[in-house]
Amino acid sequence: MRVLLVGAGGVGTAITRIAARRSFFDHVVVADYDLSRAQAAVAALEPDGRFSAERIDASDEGAVTALLQEQRCDVLLNATDPRFVMPLFQAALAAGAHYLDMAMSLSRPHPERPYELCGVKLGDAQFERAADWEKAGLLALVGIGVEPGMSDVFARHAAEELFDEIEEIGIRDGANLTVDGYDFAPSFSIWTTIEECLNAPVVYEAGRGWFTTAPFSEPEVFDFPEGIGPVECVNVEHEEVLLVPRWVEAGRVTFKYGLGEDFIRTLQTLHLLGLDRTDPVPVPSADGSGTVHVSPRDVVAACLPDPAALGERMLGKTCAGTWVKGTKDGRPREVYLYHVVDNQWSMREYGCQAVVWQTAINPVVALELIAAGTWSGSGVLGPEALPARPFLDLLTAYGSPWGMREQ
């Protein structure tokens, strides 16, 4: 297997460090708009001829198609932010390569009732091309990070082995991570965090389908395992709600994120000031010679520390998981399937902070299953469309076991 990895940021770099310990692939081309960043990701590995670095503009579909063909890559792994999903997705199809990503094509709100009805949903643009992928006999495995990704595998596992009927599936994400020296330092891309937290959350209910609510709605306190403890979680827009109901029968599906009051207030302030906008606004140049156009959200991202560089200052654990309620053998059952990463462990073992490492391990596991033929298919599929047990067993074999708690 030859892989084109697009994006050498925190998650992309963690992917190279995890994959370097495995033998299932022949070569990984690490490509980034900033060639030096791709080169640094490769140079940080032990001398390994299976990795090389290239420069690529992820927004240039033609250039990505050409690079895939030039490097004879079988698969494109997208480790960029969601703005670049569609050009990379379409380039893979044009080049005859399989495709994996960790976030799906962007949503657009309903023009009149954004907090009641869905407009363009996450992933709609990709699912519209599912027939083309099927016709080509290619697999686009979408949303195979940690959330979405591992959380979707948990949902499939619950349906396959733990429940006869499922009343509700709720993805619940929480942490007790702190960053020394910073009052506000997100542990993941602020661009993506703003996108998912300030958009209208989507909820699924059988018989009603998908609908939206106001941001940060339905707060609840969820008790996370392994010493993290109670964290208040709120509704957030996320791919699992759009993916799980396509393949797993459930009465209700939600995603709730443990953000904390201070974090929510900061995001609300950014929105109030218009600093969450992605469309460029005119700004007088520093030398007074004219006007430049900049995206306010890009400015916010540039002003904050790089999440991938915070590992040495971080303490605590992060938990991703799937809470499931239903019946088994005629009796009520409620479980929480989860995966916890301690930042001190991930820094010591891989030199990567916990959140990016937890995201990165899942597409590597998926690639190995695809290389072995254990996971296969064509079209646009979510992780819950494929058998869960091989993924969970291989995840454990990677030295990163998952857990289950009866509620």
Side-chain angles (χ1 to χ4, degrees):
M1 173 184 277
R2 292 181 63 87
V3 180
L4 174 60
L5 169 63
V6 183
V11 173
T13 296
I15 286 171
T16 64
R17 295 179 184 183
I18 296 166
R21 302 188 183 189
R22 309 298 295 185
S23 61
F24 67 87
F25 64 94
D26 299 308
H27 195 80
V28 174
V29 179
V30 183
D32 197 277
Y33 186 80
D34 182 347
L35 177 59
S36 65
R37 193 159 71 160
Q39 291 171 330
V42 173
L45 307 171
E46 291 293 327
D48 191 336
R50 297 180 301 162
F51 293 85
S52 61
E54 295 284 344
R55 184 191 179 278
I56 196 66
D57 180 350
S59 68
D60 189 338
E61 182 181 329
V64 176
T65 301
L67 184 59
L68 282 162
Q69 294 171 334
E70 173 192 320
Q71 295 288 336
R72 299 175 288 109
C73 292
D74 307 292
V75 59
L76 187 159
L77 173 52
N78 176 3
T80 65
D81 73 51
R83 288 174 289 182
F84 303 107
V85 162
M86 288 312 295
L88 295 175
F89 174 81
Q90 293 174 159
L93 179 60
H98 301 300
Y99 170 87
L100 287 79
D101 65 30
M102 290 162 273
M104 298 177 68
S105 60
L106 293 171
S107 64
R108 292 197 303 274
H110 190 279
E112 298 169 355
R113 298 161 64 188
Y115 302 137
E116 299 174 50
L117 302 177
C118 295
V120 175
K121 301 188 298 301
L122 292 169
D124 275 358
Q126 290 172 283
F127 282 115
E128 286 173 2
R129 298 214 62 188
D132 297 330
W133 284 82
E134 290 179 20
K135 184 177 179 180
L138 295 170
L139 172 63
L141 180 57
V142 296
I144 185 59
V146 58
E147 293 171 338
M150 183 191 299
S151 52
D152 302 72
V153 173
F154 285 151
R156 173 67 183 256
H157 175 63
E160 286 179 332
E161 300 189 25
L162 305 178
F163 290 84
D164 297 321
E165 293 185 6
I166 295 176
E167 178 183 332
E168 184 168 357
I169 295 174
I171 316 305
R172 298 293 183 264
D173 179 303
N176 61 359
L177 294 169
T178 59
V179 181
D180 184 41
Y182 289 97
D183 293 326
F184 184 75
S187 58
F188 203 70
S189 162
I190 188 60
W191 201 100
T192 304
T193 301
I194 289 172
E195 181 74 15
E196 62 190 22
C197 291
L198 291 179
N199 284 355
V202 180
V203 174
Y204 173 84
E205 290 182 357
R208 182 177 178 182
W210 289 293
F211 60 94
T212 59
T213 70
F216 315 121
S217 58
E218 298 182 0
E220 68 173 60
V221 175
F222 192 86
D223 187 17
F224 289 92
E226 298 194 21
I228 295 175
V231 179
E232 185 175 78
C233 299
V234 293
N235 278 326
V236 167
E237 181 190 52
H238 233 252
E239 286 88 346
E240 292 95 326
V241 180
L242 286 312
L243 287 172
V244 170
R246 296 175 188 269
W247 290 282
V248 177
E249 188 172 342
R252 195 170 196 260
V253 183
T254 60
F255 179 98
K256 293 188 180 184
Y257 197 4
L259 295 172
E261 291 183 9
D262 291 343
F263 200 99
I264 289 173
R265 277 197 298 267
T266 300
L267 293 176
Q268 289 171 329
T269 300
L270 291 174
H271 178 64
L272 181 66
L273 297 175
L275 295 175
D276 59 326
R277 293 169 54 186
T278 59
D279 51 308
V281 298
V283 179
S285 61
D287 60 7
S289 62
T291 300
V292 296
H293 289 77
V294 296
S295 158
R297 192 184 301 186
D298 287 344
V299 172
V300 171
C303 290
L304 289 172
D306 178 3
L310 294 175
E312 297 290 349
R313 293 174 172 265
M314 287 174 62
L315 289 173
K317 300 177 181 179
T318 184
C319 178
T322 304
W323 164 74
V324 187
K325 180 181 179 181
T327 58
K328 177 67 173 177
D329 298 327
R331 296 181 178 180
R333 191 178 195 187
E334 194 174 337
V335 303
Y336 183 57
L337 303 157
Y338 64 89
H339 184 257
V340 172
V341 178
D342 186 313
N343 186 72
Q344 288 182 294
W345 175 86
S346 64
M347 287 297 298
R348 182 176 65 251
E349 292 294 319
Y350 288 88
C352 299
Q353 58 104 317
V355 177
V356 299
W357 187 90
Q358 188 182 46
T359 303
I361 190 172
N362 300 288
V364 182
V365 171
L367 281 173
E368 185 160 347
L369 291 174
I370 292 168
T374 306
W375 271 11
S376 63
S378 62
V380 179
L381 302 180
E384 55 279 280
L386 300 165
R389 178 55 70 177
F391 184 99
L392 297 176
D393 289 346
L394 188 54
L395 180 68
T396 301
Y398 271 52
S400 187
W402 55 284
M404 184 180 83
R405 180 181 69 192
E406 295 280 352
Q407 296 289 91

